[in-house]
Amino acid sequence: QVQLVESGGGLVQTGGSLRLSCAASGGTFSSYTMGWFRQAPGKEREFVAAINRSGGFIWGGNTYYSDSVKGRFTISRDNAKNTVFLQMNSLNSEDTAVYYCAADSKGSSRRTIVGGGMDYWGKGTLVTVSS
């Protein structure tokens, strides 16, 4: 059973930065596409970013971002440490949410990944951006 544990959330001021980490155990981390999702209070969970296991996504590139975070957030991974990261810069109040790490073991399509069709999920870490 794959376990994902997020860390790095907290309170930050508008314009600030945070780096989230997600440590994986119990599976073959390097074979998973990893993603970050978030859920703001009163809203549906939404896709944030994804990084492919290796070799690039079928649709091109190794990473993929939602329009709302493109240019501000960066997803990366360290397969030697079974960890995926989300560097978040230029944070604003709309980024306030619980951030979840997730893993896909099936090589799913972009639609499936963006739609949250992942196999494993962490419990989340709260990010609060204050003005």
Side-chain angles (χ1 to χ4, degrees), residues 6-98:
E6 303 94 337
S7 61
L11 177 65
V12 63
Q13 290 188 328
T14 297
S17 299
L18 277 178
R19 189 193 197 203
L20 304 183
S21 300
C22 172
S25 62
T28 309
F29 178 78
S30 60
S31 69
Y32 301 147
T33 291
M34 299 300 297
W36 287 97
F37 295 76
R38 67 186 181 185
Q39 187 167 20
K43 294 188 176 181
E44 299 274 326
R45 183 181 62 195
E46 66 173 354
F47 168 80
V48 174
I51 185 166
N52 195 31
R53 46 193 178 181
S54 65
F57 288 114
I58 293 175
W59 59 83
N62 290 311
T63 58
Y64 185 71
Y65 299 92
S66 68
D67 288 342
S68 62
V69 308
K70 197 175 298 181
R72 299 188 299 123
F73 290 12
T74 302
I75 188 171
S76 61
R77 66 190 299 162
D78 184 339
N79 288 340
K81 296 182 178 180
N82 289 355
T83 302
V84 62
F85 305 97
L86 185 68
Q87 178 66 43
M88 306 186 294
N89 299 329
S90 301
L91 288 161
N92 58 61
S93 59
E94 294 184 350
D95 297 315
T96 294
V98 176

